[in-house]
Structures are given as structure tokens and as C-alpha cells.
Amino acid sequence: MTRVVERLASLEKAAREGDPVLLVYGPGTDDAFVDRAYRICGIEEVLWETLRAAGFERIVFHSLTRKLYFRDDDSRSSSLPRGAARPAAAPPRRMRDGFSGPFGDRIVTDFGAPQERPAAIGVGRVGGASSAISDPFSVKMFNHLISNKTPRTALVFVNAAETLLHIESVRGLAEFFAGRISFQRDSPHTCVLLLRQPTLGAVRDFLDGIRTVPALAEYAGRQLDRRVKSGLIGHPDDAELLRMIHALRISAELKVADWQALPAVVRAMSAQSDEARRWEGRLRRLAADAKPLKAAKLRDEDWVNSAVPDPGGVWERLEKLQGLEGVKNHLEMLRWRLTADARLREQGRATDVEPGSHHLVFTGNPGTGKTTVARLVGEMYRDLGVVRKGHVVEVLAGDLIDQYVGGTFQKTGNVIDRALDGVLFIDEAYQLSDQQAGFGQEAIDTLLARMENDRARLVVIVAGYPVKMREFLDANPGLRSRFPEANVIEFADYDPGILTAILMDRLCARGLKWTAELEAQLGTAVAGMYRTRRAGFGNARAMREVADEIATHWARRTRSAVDEPADVADLPDRLKIHLANDIPDMAELLGELDAMIGLQPVKDAIRTLVNQLRLKQRRGKGEVTAPHLLFLGPPGTGKTTVARMIGRIFKSLGLLVSGHVVEVGRKDLVGGYIGQTAIKTGERIADALDGVLFIDEAYSLSRTGDSRDFGQEAIDTLNQDMENLRGRLVVIAAGYPRQMDEFLVSNPGLESRFTVRVDFPDYSDSELREILLAMATKDEYVIAPAARDRALTWFAAQRAARLDAFGNGRAARGLLAEMEARLGARVAADQDADDLSTFQAQDVPNA
């Protein structure tokens, strides 16, 4: 039975294939190991066993302090001068005839026992002091040991970095390695350099930096370009940790609390990516304290992630997650598909079918559990045999990108190395393709290459907003091929019931008490928050923020009187607006409108509408939503002013959350090329959500006869969202009556969307004079009686002269500006004038 530890299996393969130099690096280079004979040992011993298994007959170790030394008598004897005596090896202990165990009749008595100090050699004699060898002589010995093809020799440089930095014979060592790499490719021997750098890239950088062994530095660079991973020694896997537990059961009397739960405990240990020596210390501590090994203890000591070691199993934990029914169904189908594929392969069927992609796309808003589910997927894939360890490395797109040329390749590669045999979870992955001027594409290219080269050891999950993620995948054919549509899992927003439960749990976790009234209102407030949510809604994260705000308001109101419960008064204002309010009376609702000059038909129409809406609210029969309106009339008749009032009226009635008004025209909605109009219109609609979108001269969108005009695209987008966003969006379209009729017929469904029509008549001349007086009074001017009469005549003349182009209120505004200019010229000519605020008849232009 081979004793090679799993972590060194790829190194054994490379040694068998005859690499002249083996660079050994990674977190395992100074770790403890548990070999397949259940012995806990160090790196030197497992290297010796690995090289022996690879066919090396002589294994020689070197360090600066101990020089040349050996771990076995055969290697020492073959390196000594001829005629030197070879010590007799003690025969192995055997069982009595008829008895056998896991290792045949061999008796194993050295579980976890410290190894004997390997023998060193001096100059020309057995057992001499190692310090007797000088560095130049050591280099001569290196060349001597590999001068003949037999015996096959492995020369292991322990603490190779120290040797390369401080050996006295720098030139001789550099020439030795140059010869090994460049001129002795047919040699059966190898040199093993044990380095503590975490990655091959770090090894290359170290060798480049010391500048004493250029051949080694170039060799490491070539290995890096070829993505050679044979020298990487990582963290222990499930099998090795399980052997450690059994070894310590015998040597340290470690107890196991639940044998059925032991596999889950071992998986949890393996998922942490900790060194074996660290786990050995922890387990010995448990044994010394007479405490059994169990999942709860691992959690209590913070030795494992609290989300991992649950004895219920991954599927039970997934089922316990609130909501996410669609996600659960998708993963359940994936589970049975992978199980069926594995069973078919076990029976020798489906051998010619390449396994499907295991990479996944998670789309959804923040706070919907994507990270939590990614951790569960790591365990699920481990249990199903897709990956060996199932740990999850969580990064953002920015963690893969460097600001210097070539740095992104290295940075992304290092992250992927950490995720090997597990899952790489990249949140907001779309930012990689959004960085057109940066190095995002380099990260994508590196990721795609590694997904192909390491497809048996790597699963990638990319996550982000739904629209952004689809754009991200469609932007690169390689990405779409790695992430097929069947592997896209949508994380829907939590419903109001689940959100309310999350909020209550957060309040409880903070230690707050609350009144029955607050508990009764929270569901209503959260439901309103959910109904008015926008893209990027934070879900569970948003509920945690609300709970923290409630706690802050409560602490301030009560002056930290911890026994006083939280109340409705502690709700943030953004939630209070969703609570049911008393319906205001008509005087309060329409007071501002009634104060306007003229517009009696408009006032009557709005009053009728408000009465109808208040009736529906008072009856309480179903949801009451604000309608879309048409404002028909010439310019200057107050349509924009009344639209702003409508926003405030609908907010007072509780029909709109904010009631703000976004005023747009054709140029704000229509783009210059195909596809741009829908985007621009969608952005303005998003701006107006929970308020009013006021489109002045809306008929300009329906121009005909020009194939390059995209106004119809804006109308179609509006028509769709007016229905889909009913209750959150009010559209008011304004313009001349005849042209607006043409606008309505431009889309078959448009006319039915506008259920309220308000006609704005021209102002009479006397009403315009009242408007002029109001404007002047607002600016603290006085209009003399003669000037008022002259203004009335001016309005009549302007109306007669312009007919269809008369500006109504705009004409009054223009007249006031002209009168102000004439008054300024008049008082400028008379430096003694003391009345600077009264308009006289001469200040009104001739009709």
C-alpha cells in the first residue's frame, strides 16, 4: 500500500515523469501530514515517501545548517566512500501466525510519534559533524551525486530560499542549477526545492528578485506560463483529516461524539482551508480537556464558519431558508440530474457524453440570499462529487483587477488558486465587462482559460442584477458557453410576509420590545415599501437597515430607557408614508387649486375626480389607484402648474408615495438611433416612479412620414409601463385638443390608458389682467388704475392679432417683463424719481 499523501499526488506524478527541477510551494510546505499508514509526520518524511514511490533509489537532503543528510540507510550508504560499513536495520515487528490487521501482519506502534533525527555526513567519513562540510564542497557533492545515472537520485533542498540567499558558493550553485535545467534533460535525477511562497507566481518573483540563480527564475517563469501546478501543496482534504482523527483517537484518546455526524464534521473542517498542524493542535486540546469532537464544539470555538457545520445536512438547511422556492426547485433538479449522471457512469453507460457545465449564474437584487446559497452549493457539489472540498471563496469583481499591465492575470490567478477544489463566487460580476478602459477583459480571459484548464477542480458562480448579468453574459461568447441558460438561477425579491418576519427577527436580536400597535402597523409599512420598491431593492439587507433605524429613533425618543417599548413614532418617515392616513377634507385638498385665477372647468373636473377617489377609499372595496390624465388646451393656461398640484393631491390621498412631478418633452424621451429611445424613456419613467410624469406637447411624439423618427418607440414604451406600473406612476399628457387626438390613435391601447380628460380653456382678458396684478404683487409692484385699463386693451389686441398662437398666462408674464423694462428706462432718465415700484400707463406698451 502506497503511503503517498493525497496533497503530494501530483508531485509524485511529476517526479515520475522526470522533471529536472521540482519547485514545491504553497501553504503545506511547513505543515503536518497524515500519511496512509495513519502517521502524523512532517514535510521531509512525506517528501521522502513520495520520492520513493516515484522510483528514486537515493534521496539526499540539504540545508545550510545540516548540510547533507539522509532519512534512510540505503541513501546514506550509496553516498559514502566504498568500504564504509552499513548499519543493520531493525527488523519490523510482526504478529503471530494466523493474525492480521489493516496492514497485514505488521505491528504499527508509532502513530504520531516524533521521527528520529536523520543522519548527517561529514567530509569523507560516516557520522561526521555536518558543520565539517563547507559550502563549496557541498556544491561539489551535488554534482558528484548526479554524475552517474545510477542510482536514481533526488536532491531535496529544505528551506531552499535560505540556501539560495546565504550559501557561500553562489556561483557554483547557480552553475549547478543551470546545468540541471539546460544540459541534463536525459538525466534520471531531480532536484526538489522546498519554498514557503504561497503561489508559483510568488516563487518566480522571489527568484527574479535575488538575481543569483537566473536559470531557476526563467524555469519558474516557464512553469507559470504553462500553468504547472504539480508543486503546489495545499491544505488537507477530508480523507487526510479523517486519518488524523483516527490517529489521535489511538495516540491521544480523542473521543468522537457522534459517529454518524463525523463525515459532516470532517467536511466542515476541510472547508476552512486550515493547515493540518493547526487542526492537530486543536484536536489534541480537545483530547487533553476530555471533550469529544462534535460540530457544536467547532462552532463554539470559532474553528469553522457557523454556516457550515450543521448536522442537518445541506438539503435540510436549504429547505429551512425563508422564501427562495424557485431557487430550491432549481437546485433540486440539478441535484437529481447530477445523481443520475453519476449512477449512469457507474454502470458504464453514457461514457461518450461530456459532463455538463457546473458553473452557475445567480441573478437578483441584493439581500436575497445569493451568498448564503452559494455556500450551500459548495457543500452540495462536494457531496455529489463535483468538487473535492467544496469551500467557497467570495470576491467582488474589483478583487480580480489590478491597475498595472499583467497584474490582473496574476491577481485573478491567485484568487482562482485559492478556490481550486471548491467554488469561486464573484458578486457584481458584470463590473468586469463594464470596465471598457480597464483590465476587466483580462480578468474575464484569465477566468475563462482557468475554467477550461481546471474544469475538474473549479466551479464558478457569478452573481448580480438580472439585467446587468444578462448583458454581461451576452457580451462574451465564451462566457455564455460556460454559463448556459439552464444554469441561470433567479433569486426573486422576498414577499412582504417574509420581509416583515426578517424585520421582526432583527428587532428581537437587538433586544427591543415593541407595542402591539407597532407590530400591527409593521406589516402595512413593509407591504408599502415592497410595493414601491425600485431596481436594486435590498430585501433582507433593507429590513436590517429599517430595524437599525427604528432602534436609533427609539433610543433617541426614550433617552435609552431600555424598558420602554418601541412604538409607531419610531418608524422612519419613509415607512410612515405607507401607513393609512385620514382622508383630508376638500378644502385642504383643493385649496391651492381654488385659489388660482379662472380655470373653472378645470377646477370642476378635478373636484369631480377627487370626490370619486375619496368615495372609493371610504367604501374600502378593493385597491384604489390614481388614474392617468389628459390635459387639453392651448399654451399658458396653467397645465404645468395644475400637474404639480395633482402630484400633491394624489400624495395627500395616499395614492402616490412621493407625488413629485417629472416634466419632460420630446427631446427627453426620443433618441437618435434604434434602441436609444426605449432606454431614455425608461429612465424618465424610473425617475417619475411614485409620482407624476408630465409630458408637455405629447403629440410631438407621434410625428409621421419620417422613417428616421423614433417617437413611436417612446409611445409604445409609455403605453406598456402605464399599465405595468399602475398605482406607482401617473402620466399626464398635455397639448392642443386636435393634435392630442392624433396622439391617442398612434397606439391602439393608449386611449384606454387615459381615463380622465381635463379641458383647459383660454383665459379671458379680465382674468389675464388679474393674473398680471397677482404677478406684480408677488414682486412687490403696484399697477396704477390707468395702467390696468391699458393692460386690458393690450390683452384684447394681442388675442385678436395672434388667434391660435396667443400665449394666455405666458402673455401676462411677457407683458410684466416689458412693463418692468419701460419702468426701468423711465426712472433711469429721472435721477430724482422716488417711486420705483408703481407702473403707470406709459409703462404699458401700445396695443
Side-chain angles (χ1 to χ4, degrees):
M1 180 181 66
T2 178
R3 287 186 176 182
V4 175
V5 179
E6 292 85 350
R7 286 189 273 173
L8 280 76
S10 60
L11 181 66
E12 180 197 3
K13 180 181 178 182
R16 287 183 181 278
E17 293 173 353
D19 284 4
V21 174
L22 296 173
L23 301 173
V24 181
Y25 56 93
T29 53
D30 57 356
D31 198 8
F33 297 82
V34 188
D35 68 13
R36 302 194 190 204
Y38 290 77
R39 299 188 308 168
I40 301 176
C41 47
I43 182 65
E44 289 186 19
E45 184 163 3
V46 294
L47 271 177
W48 183 91
E49 292 177 347
T50 301
L51 294 169
R52 274 294 192 195
F56 288 92
E57 303 164 274
R58 178 168 60 187
I59 302 169
V60 184
F61 292 83
H62 174 272
S63 72
L64 276 179
T65 56
R66 301 179 63 190
K67 307 306 180 183
L68 296 172
Y69 59 97
F70 312 91
R71 301 200 68 89
D72 65 284
D73 290 332
D74 289 341
S75 295
R76 182 174 60 177
S77 299
S78 63
S79 303
L80 295 177
R82 293 181 181 179
R86 175 180 300 184
R93 296 179 60 190
R94 302 289 180 180
M95 297 182 184
R96 288 181 298 172
D97 292 342
F99 291 88
S100 64
F103 310 108
D105 62 352
R106 177 185 174 194
I107 298 177
V108 180
T109 60
D110 55 351
F111 284 100
Q115 303 303 308
E116 294 181 1
R117 180 181 177 87
I121 66 170
V123 181
R125 70 183 195 276
V126 180
S130 60
S131 59
I133 300 180
S134 65
D135 285 346
F137 186 81
S138 294
V139 175
K140 289 181 179 179
M141 283 294 296
F142 300 160
N143 286 290
H144 169 71
L145 291 170
I146 62 174
S147 58
N148 298 317
K149 289 192 176 183
T150 58
R152 192 180 182 202
T153 301
L155 184 55
V156 181
F157 290 85
V158 181
N159 301 327
E162 285 75 8
T163 298
L164 296 173
L165 285 170
H166 302 298
I167 194 169
E168 294 177 6
S169 184
V170 175
R171 176 181 294 181
L173 190 65
E175 290 178 352
F176 170 74
F177 282 120
R180 287 294 306 139
I181 294 170
S182 302
F183 308 114
Q184 299 184 20
R185 297 195 178 278
D186 61 340
S187 171
H189 313 303
T190 191
C191 293
V192 181
L193 277 72
L194 196 60
L195 298 142
R196 289 191 174 87
Q197 279 72 22
T199 65
L200 185 56
V203 170
R204 188 270 315 272
D205 294 342
F206 165 73
L207 295 174
D208 275 339
I210 63 176
R211 299 179 180 276
T212 58
V213 280
L216 271 182
E218 293 173 4
Y219 180 78
R222 291 195 298 271
Q223 298 285 87
L224 185 63
D225 292 340
R226 292 168 49 210
R227 296 183 175 87
V228 173
K229 299 293 181 182
S230 57
L232 174 64
I233 302 181
H235 295 106
D237 62 4
D238 295 12
E240 188 176 350
L241 289 175
L242 182 61
R243 292 197 299 268
M244 174 177 285
I245 292 171
H246 287 311
L248 293 178
R249 282 180 47 241
I250 297 173
S251 64
E253 298 185 356
L254 174 68
K255 305 298 182 184
V256 176
D258 184 351
W259 285 98
Q260 289 186 340
L262 183 60
V265 172
V266 172
R267 287 197 301 269
M269 294 167 59
S270 174
Q272 305 313 300
S273 295
D274 279 337
E275 294 89 348
R277 59 184 172 84
R278 189 180 299 274
W279 282 115
E280 181 187 7
R282 292 166 176 170
L283 296 177
R284 288 189 183 278
R285 174 180 150 191
L286 287 181
D289 294 342
K291 294 180 179 178
L293 173 63
K294 57 182 179 180
K297 183 62 177 176
L298 298 183
R299 282 198 301 271
D300 294 343
E301 294 288 348
D302 200 26
W303 292 341
V304 295
N305 187 311
S306 60
V308 176
D310 190 315
V314 61
W315 296 104
E316 289 80 359
R317 278 179 280 141
L318 178 64
E319 189 59 35
K320 290 178 183 178
L321 293 179
Q322 295 177 310
L324 302 179
E325 297 308 317
V327 175
K328 295 174 184 177
N329 291 335
H330 199 127
L331 292 178
E332 187 74 12
M333 288 189 294
L334 185 60
R335 171 191 185 182
W336 294 117
R337 189 196 79 189
L338 292 173
T339 302
D341 290 346
R343 290 177 179 174
L344 288 172
R345 286 194 299 272
E346 288 174 1
Q347 296 177 14
R349 301 158 64 183
T351 54
D352 294 333
V353 178
E354 185 174 338
S357 173
H358 303 307
H359 310 296
L360 301 173
V361 180
F362 288 177
T363 67
N365 281 329
T368 48
K370 296 189 292 294
T371 303
T372 300
V373 173
R375 294 168 183 164
L376 294 176
V377 167
E379 291 188 70
M380 180 187 82
Y381 275 168
R382 180 184 60 206
D383 293 347
L384 293 171
V386 175
V387 291
R388 185 171 60 86
K389 296 178 65 174
H391 66 291
V392 179
V393 175
E394 302 166 19
V395 297
L396 295 172
D399 297 323
L400 306 178
I401 299 173
D402 196 76
Q403 57 183 327
Y404 301 108
V405 175
T408 295
F409 168 78
Q410 186 69 40
K411 199 171 182 180
T412 303
N414 290 341
V415 170
I416 293 173
D417 287 342
R418 287 165 43 208
L420 286 177
D421 301 316
V423 173
L424 176 59
F425 177 71
I426 309 174
D427 204 4
E428 300 179 8
Y430 54 84
Q431 292 183 359
L432 293 175
S433 58
D434 284 350
Q435 296 191 16
Q436 299 296 332
F439 299 107
Q441 187 58 49
E442 184 179 358
I444 292 175
D445 294 341
T446 305
L447 184 65
L448 290 173
R450 293 294 298 275
M451 288 168 72
E452 178 63 27
N453 296 335
D454 296 306
R455 56 184 170 181
R457 299 186 61 194
L458 178 67
V459 168
V460 177
I461 301 177
V462 291
Y465 297 114
V467 175
K468 285 282 191 180
M469 289 305 298
R470 296 198 180 277
E471 292 174 354
F472 168 67
L473 296 176
D474 291 339
N476 189 307
L479 285 172
R480 178 54 77 182
S481 66
R482 302 300 194 285
F483 298 98
E485 190 65 31
N487 288 23
V488 178
I489 302 179
E490 181 180 356
F491 285 67
D493 289 334
Y494 292 130
D495 63 46
I498 293 176
L499 291 172
T500 304
I502 293 172
L503 174 57
M504 301 291 285
D505 288 345
R506 178 72 172 188
L507 290 173
C508 187
R510 294 198 61 129
L512 265 68
K513 299 178 181 178
W514 52 83
T515 64
E517 183 183 5
L518 175 59
E519 184 169 352
Q521 294 283 21
L522 277 180
T524 301
V526 172
M529 189 177 182
Y530 174 83
R531 181 176 62 85
T532 58
R533 70 194 188 282
R534 296 194 173 211
F537 175 61
N539 289 280
R541 187 184 307 172
M543 293 302 99
R544 291 192 293 269
E545 292 172 355
V546 169
D548 294 344
E549 289 183 62
I550 292 174
T552 300
H553 292 168
W554 163 82
R556 180 177 180 181
R557 178 179 62 83
T558 64
R559 298 295 189 266
S560 300
V562 295
D563 292 330
E564 186 170 341
D567 201 353
V568 176
D570 301 318
L571 281 174
D573 290 340
R574 59 194 181 96
L575 263 72
K576 286 180 181 178
I577 61 177
H578 300 299
L579 301 181
N581 299 315
D582 294 334
I583 300 174
D585 60 25
M586 294 296 286
E588 181 183 348
L589 276 175
L590 303 180
E592 187 180 9
L593 179 63
D594 288 338
M596 292 186 69
I597 298 169
L599 299 182
Q600 193 57 47
V602 175
K603 296 174 183 177
D604 293 341
I606 300 300
R607 187 176 300 275
T608 299
L609 172 62
V610 170
N611 282 331
Q612 181 183 6
L613 293 172
R614 290 174 76 242
L615 173 63
K616 291 182 178 180
Q617 288 179 322
R618 293 172 65 183
R619 294 184 70 229
K621 304 293 184 180
E623 183 181 6
V624 181
T625 57
H628 305 296
L629 300 91
L630 286 174
F631 282 3
L632 307 177
T637 49
K639 296 188 293 295
T640 303
T641 302
V642 173
R644 295 168 186 162
M645 293 181 187
I646 289 291
R648 293 190 285 271
I649 290 170
F650 285 171
K651 180 182 179 182
S652 297
L653 289 170
L655 302 179
L656 292 175
V657 172
S658 68
H660 66 291
V661 178
V662 176
E663 302 169 20
V664 298
R666 174 186 166 87
K667 64 181 178 59
D668 302 303
L669 304 178
V670 179
Y673 53 84
I674 295 174
Q676 185 186 29
T677 295
I679 295 174
K680 291 183 69 173
T681 303
E683 290 172 346
R684 298 292 78 77
I685 290 173
D687 293 341
L689 269 183
D690 303 314
V692 175
L693 181 66
F694 177 72
I695 310 172
D696 201 10
E697 299 181 0
Y699 53 83
S700 64
L701 298 175
S702 58
R703 294 175 182 170
T704 58
D706 187 352
S707 60
R708 295 171 298 177
D709 184 74
F710 303 109
Q712 188 62 43
E713 187 178 355
I715 293 174
D716 296 341
T717 303
L718 275 170
N719 181 54
Q720 181 177 355
D721 285 347
M722 285 169 69
E723 180 61 28
N724 295 339
L725 299 174
R726 184 175 291 276
R728 296 194 61 193
L729 175 71
V730 169
V731 175
I732 300 178
Y736 290 107
R738 181 176 59 80
Q739 288 90 333
M740 289 301 291
D741 288 339
E742 297 175 358
F743 165 71
L744 293 177
V745 299
S746 62
N747 186 294
L750 198 59
E751 187 171 9
S752 64
R753 303 280 189 264
F754 292 99
T755 56
V756 177
R757 178 185 181 114
V758 181
D759 291 301
F760 284 70
D762 285 312
Y763 288 109
S764 67
D765 296 340
S766 61
E767 288 172 342
L768 289 173
R769 182 172 62 178
E770 291 301 315
I771 292 173
L772 178 65
L773 289 173
M775 291 178 177
T777 301
K778 181 179 179 182
D779 292 340
E780 299 183 4
Y781 285 114
V782 175
I783 302 180
R788 297 181 189 182
D789 295 339
R790 190 174 175 88
L792 186 64
T793 304
W794 186 87
F795 283 127
Q798 289 294 316
R799 187 190 304 277
R802 294 180 179 271
L803 296 176
D804 291 340
F806 182 59
N808 286 284
R810 297 177 189 174
R813 192 178 302 111
L815 176 58
L816 180 62
E818 179 66 21
M819 292 168 61
E820 199 171 32
R822 286 171 173 262
L823 174 61
R826 179 164 59 79
V827 299
D830 183 3
Q831 295 297 324
D832 297 329
D834 56 357
D835 186 355
L836 306 179
S837 300
T838 302
F839 292 115
Q840 301 296 337
Q842 61 265 39
D843 297 325
V844 179
N846 294 327

